[in-house]
Amino acid sequence: MTQSWNNARFKKSCLAGVIAVLLSPSVYALEPLSDNNLSETTGEGVALLPENFKMVFQGPNDISTASSYNNATISAADKPKYDTGFIRIIPTGENYELLYQRAYDKIYKQNYNSNYAYAKANLYQGSYNSIYDTVYNGIYQNGSTTTTTYTTTYSQVKTKNETTYRNQEISPYLKQKTYTDYYNKRYDQYYWNAPALVPDDGTTKYGGAWLNEEKAAENARLNTIEKIEAAYGSTITTAVNNHLKETTLAQIRASANSTAAQQATSAANTTVDNYAKTNAANVANTTATGAITNARTKADVFIYGLALSKSNGNLTERYSNVGLNWGSAANPWLFRAGTAKDIQQFSGANKSDIGYLALEAPLAKDGIDATSDRIKLGFWTDIFSRSLDSMRTINAITGAPESGLDKDYRLRSQFVANGLSINGSQIRLFQTQNDDVNKLYDETLGIAALLRINTNDNPSTLKFTDTNLNEKGIRISTAAKTDADDGTAVTPAMDGSLAPLFNDKDGLYLYSANINLVLGNMYQPFILASEGNNIILEVTRIPKIPAIYSQIYTLYADTDPNPQFQAGTGLTTASFKGSTCNVSYCGSNFSDITTGTNTVRYQGTNATHSSIAIGSVTRDVSTNLLKANRGADATGIVFKSPSGSAVNLGSAVIDGVLIQHLKFKTTGL
């Protein structure tokens, strides 16, 4: 790695002066302050000022002068081949148990259905018949009349049906002439004669029938049946017993059939289901295991040749080998403590000062900053997808895996950015206020982050025909300069081979890319918390509390010139303090820093909305709204082939982005 620093002597008085610039407006920059004066400030910190700074990750060398960029014997075209110092990132990949289960379930379902259909057609009937016959025969016992089942059923049938069957057997005899004549004669005897005068013919003599038709008929019928029983009693009994036996066996057969059919159906379905389950499980287990083993959902990322240097007009080279000054004595990097006054979070009852620890890049100058040192950022990367069973052994010397990387599953790309400025960016860390509703928010680590990545202070005049587009843009490319320049090695980390050379022209070009992101603020913190074993990153919800959301929301007068506010909120058009951060404006809290007789105004840092602009973009100063230019020469997003032919897709703007709520949560940790 090559890096160069110009280490200025940094006196205590200088540190005091820098802090005083930001914390005591009435004091001139670099004016020495005593420790007593410093103790009265609202916060103290450390000012950092990298001067003539540059760096590039190369292969291991003992001294900086061994860098290829300082070696005159290596041609300019070959110097990037030694950018093989790397950062390795190993994402954990997916939840493999869940991935296996998903694959298993999918394969199981497919195979279960096909195996079930086969078993239904080929195994069901055989299983059904076997179980049916066994159960039926076990109950019916070939019509045996000595079983307990028969005896019990017969007793029930006899109680219910014996009288009916006997009457059925007697009924035909009652129709015979002999017995009809007897009945008629006996009827007359009962009807016309007194009971004492009814002749005795061996049957029972009944009384109370004289001149009574119903009683005479009943008595005559009973005497007729007695005559039939006397003549044919044994025959009738035999017939009744046969009826009782047949009915009993019929009931047993019906019961046996019902029970056997039910058990046979259940057993046959179980046979079919078990067959389908067993075969489907076997196939699913084998196939899912193979699928997961061979699945390439495990990543391996190598970031090579990370380089920072002074920007130039070349989007082909990753490193200019020229140092840059990152800030100034009046506007340095700051690592400091501070206090935000009268902050409310989560609840209307919360209102207090919040102390924070901040890392702040140099402030962004208001207006076009032609004097600032712009950054060139470059690196190239090999990104691999690896199988689950790939080797995990690490070479202790190089930090690279000994195997498991496959060139066929590699994405090789290059990133080069010119004209970069992160001025105005800052990160504040603090403890959030109490939240009685959501304990996850309660007194946890809060972050207010303002990330500004800008490549062009004045994108409104950008044209596709401009000759200096490469001075302010980002390029992402993948094509190698030649097949030979792409190398034969999987990745240099494994074998110490040289870095590839990329094509000079191809790739995605993002000219004049200005990205200004607000991730949380003091009123709506971006929190880092935990839930169980899992980590949570969350831009917290904006509460429905006027005193809080009015500090975040923006009132757009052009779309709602006469807003109506809910009674009791106390809101007016002047209540809404939110604004959008873009390359030209990032909040109302401007800073005027005076050095000697020269006063410079710097942009604010309290905007609450984000913007992303690429290419030719115009800003309406009165509303701070961005608008993508639509002219034929507007540019921003451009694709180029390896031969250099370009497709200009024009410019793009995403303006006024407010994150109402955003949550990321790890799973399975």
Side-chain angles (χ1 to χ4, degrees):
M1 179 178 76
T2 300
Q3 61 180 9
S4 176
W5 285 80
N6 185 351
N7 296 316
R9 294 182 178 89
F10 205 72
K11 298 181 178 179
K12 290 183 178 179
S13 60
C14 183
L15 172 60
V18 173
I19 297 175
V21 167
L22 295 180
L23 303 180
S24 183
S26 62
V27 181
Y28 287 110
L30 305 183
E31 179 181 344
L33 295 178
S34 67
D35 287 341
N36 289 334
N37 287 335
L38 278 178
S39 66
E40 296 174 358
T41 63
T42 58
E44 298 188 9
V46 177
L48 305 173
L49 181 59
E51 292 183 340
N52 194 26
F53 171 77
K54 59 182 178 179
M55 72 165 210
V56 59
F57 280 19
Q58 293 205 319
N61 290 310
D62 292 335
I63 54 176
S64 177
T65 55
S67 164
S68 64
Y69 294 96
N70 296 329
N71 192 331
T73 63
I74 301 176
S75 67
D78 287 340
K79 291 183 186 297
K81 288 185 175 181
Y82 297 88
D83 295 348
T84 56
F86 65 89
I87 300 171
R88 187 182 179 203
I89 303 173
I90 311 175
T92 58
E94 296 189 45
N95 182 329
Y96 290 103
E97 291 183 1
L98 180 60
L99 190 65
Y100 169 84
Q101 193 60 48
R102 287 174 179 170
Y104 181 94
D105 291 343
K106 181 179 180 181
I107 298 167
Y108 179 90
K109 182 177 180 180
Q110 294 171 345
N111 283 273
Y112 178 88
N113 291 338
S114 60
N115 279 281
Y116 188 91
Y118 171 83
K120 192 73 173 179
N122 297 277
L123 304 179
Y124 179 88
Q125 198 59 49
S127 175
Y128 180 93
N129 292 342
S130 175
I131 300 299
Y132 180 91
D133 291 344
T134 300
V135 175
Y136 183 90
N137 292 331
I139 297 173
Y140 185 60
Q141 295 288 316
N142 292 321
S144 172
T145 60
T146 60
T147 64
T148 302
T149 300
Y150 180 88
T151 303
T152 302
T153 306
Y154 183 87
S155 176
Q156 295 170 351
V157 168
K158 183 177 181 180
T159 301
K160 182 179 179 180
N161 299 295
E162 183 177 23
T163 300
T164 301
Y165 290 161
R166 197 160 199 89
N167 290 336
Q168 289 175 355
E169 292 299 319
I170 291 172
S171 181
Y173 293 104
L174 291 173
K175 297 176 182 179
Q176 293 180 7
K177 188 176 185 304
T178 301
Y179 295 105
T180 58
D181 291 345
Y182 177 82
Y183 171 84
N184 292 332
K185 181 180 179 181
R186 204 63 171 171
Y187 174 86
D188 290 340
Q189 290 173 347
Y190 278 114
Y191 184 78
W192 295 111
N193 297 290
L197 299 177
V198 175
D200 186 1
D201 62 357
T203 62
T204 303
K205 292 175 63 175
Y206 299 100
W210 183 47
L211 299 179
N212 187 326
E213 293 180 357
E214 292 181 0
K215 194 64 176 177
E218 181 184 353
N219 293 343
R221 184 176 179 279
L222 292 175
N223 287 159
T224 304
I225 291 174
E226 284 186 74
K227 281 289 186 182
I228 295 171
E229 287 281 7
Y232 303 102
S234 60
T235 302
I236 292 172
T237 298
T238 300
V240 169
N241 290 338
N242 289 335
H243 282 312
L244 293 175
K245 177 181 178 181
E246 291 173 0
T247 301
T248 300
L249 293 176
Q251 287 193 13
I252 294 174
R253 285 194 298 270
S255 176
N257 178 68
S258 175
T259 303
Q262 182 178 358
Q263 293 187 18
T265 300
S266 177
N269 284 333
T270 300
T271 298
V272 171
D273 187 54
N274 288 341
Y275 178 89
K277 284 180 178 178
T278 300
N279 286 276
N282 290 338
V283 174
N285 183 56
T286 302
T287 308
T289 300
I292 299 305
T293 300
N294 298 320
R296 293 188 171 272
T297 55
K298 184 178 179 181
D300 211 337
V301 180
F302 296 85
I303 299 175
Y304 289 99
L306 180 63
L308 285 174
S309 56
K310 188 171 183 177
S311 179
N312 59 17
N314 190 341
L315 275 178
T316 297
E317 64 181 18
R318 297 185 294 270
Y319 180 64
S320 68
N321 200 26
V322 178
L324 62 96
N325 298 326
W326 214 340
S328 65
N331 185 27
W333 283 79
L334 283 178
F335 183 62
R336 70 182 184 91
T339 303
K341 299 290 186 179
D342 297 331
I343 301 299
Q344 288 176 279
Q345 298 169 352
F346 315 133
S347 169
N350 290 335
K351 191 171 186 179
S352 63
D353 297 345
I354 295 181
Y356 60 81
L357 188 65
L359 176 62
E360 301 175 357
L363 296 173
K365 186 178 179 181
D366 185 35
I368 299 174
D369 188 5
T371 62
S372 67
D373 273 346
R374 294 281 177 163
I375 305 166
K376 173 186 277 289
L377 169 65
F379 61 87
W380 67 277
T381 181
D382 278 342
I383 303 174
F384 295 89
S385 60
R386 300 178 60 175
S387 61
L388 177 62
D389 62 346
S390 59
M391 183 65 67
R392 300 182 182 181
T393 306
I394 300 297
N395 186 309
I397 297 177
T398 66
E402 294 187 351
S403 63
L405 304 182
D406 192 334
K407 186 177 180 181
D408 292 336
Y409 296 93
R410 179 189 71 190
L411 170 62
R412 171 167 285 179
S413 63
Q414 175 183 238
F415 178 94
V416 183
N418 267 335
L420 281 182
S421 172
I422 62 171
N423 285 359
S425 299
Q426 64 176 22
I427 297 177
R428 295 181 176 183
L429 304 179
F430 51 91
Q431 179 177 295
T432 62
Q433 294 177 341
N434 294 328
D435 188 353
D436 295 331
V437 177
N438 190 338
K439 290 301 180 182
L440 189 65
Y441 296 172
D442 188 14
E443 296 186 342
T444 189
L445 176 62
I447 304 170
L450 178 60
L451 306 179
R452 307 190 66 184
I453 304 171
N454 296 301
T455 61
N456 189 1
D457 289 339
N458 184 21
S460 61
T461 60
L462 196 72
K463 296 181 177 62
F464 186 56
T465 54
D466 289 348
T467 58
N468 63 342
L469 290 177
N470 286 345
E471 294 180 7
K472 39 201 168 189
I474 297 171
R475 177 189 174 202
I476 302 172
S477 61
T478 58
K481 191 169 186 178
T482 66
D483 288 344
D485 289 320
D486 196 33
T488 58
V490 176
T491 194
M494 294 184 67
D495 62 356
S497 58
L498 296 176
L501 296 179
F502 288 84
N503 184 277
D504 294 339
K505 300 180 178 65
D506 96 294
L508 168 64
Y509 290 75
L510 303 176
Y511 294 121
S512 188
N514 292 324
I515 302 170
N516 295 270
L517 300 179
V518 179
L519 291 176
N521 55 65
M522 299 304 291
Y523 293 91
Q524 183 197 11
F526 178 32
I527 66 166
L528 173 62
S530 62
E531 191 172 78
N533 292 328
N534 293 303
I535 300 171
I536 291 176
L537 294 172
E538 180 175 359
V539 178
T540 56
R541 293 177 175 86
I542 300 176
K544 191 177 180 181
I545 299 172
I548 297 178
Y549 67 67
S550 62
Q551 300 291 332
I552 302 170
Y553 289 158
T554 297
L555 180 64
Y556 295 98
D558 57 331
T559 59
D560 192 4
N562 297 303
Q564 301 297 316
F565 301 107
Q566 185 177 353
T569 62
L571 296 175
T572 67
T573 55
S575 300
F576 295 90
K577 303 298 193 297
S579 60
T580 298
C581 184
N582 54 54
V583 68
S584 301
Y585 179 90
C586 199
S588 59
N589 58 336
F590 292 96
S591 298
D592 292 324
I593 298 180
T594 300
T595 306
T597 60
N598 183 37
T599 299
V600 179
R601 167 159 285 196
Y602 292 93
Q603 294 180 26
T605 57
N606 64 352
T608 56
H609 294 54
S610 306
S611 69
I612 300 174
I614 302 174
S616 311
V617 174
T618 301
R619 173 177 175 258
D620 186 333
V621 178
S622 63
T623 61
N624 195 39
L625 295 177
L626 302 180
K627 183 178 181 180
N629 297 348
R630 298 184 179 183
D633 57 354
T635 190
I637 304 173
V638 177
F639 284 93
K640 291 185 180 180
S641 69
S643 63
S645 61
V647 177
N648 178 27
L649 299 181
S651 56
V653 168
I654 304 175
D655 194 29
V657 178
L658 174 63
I659 301 176
Q660 295 275 5
H661 180 225
L662 179 66
K663 184 176 182 178
F664 295 95
K665 178 181 176 181
T666 61
T667 59
L669 297 184

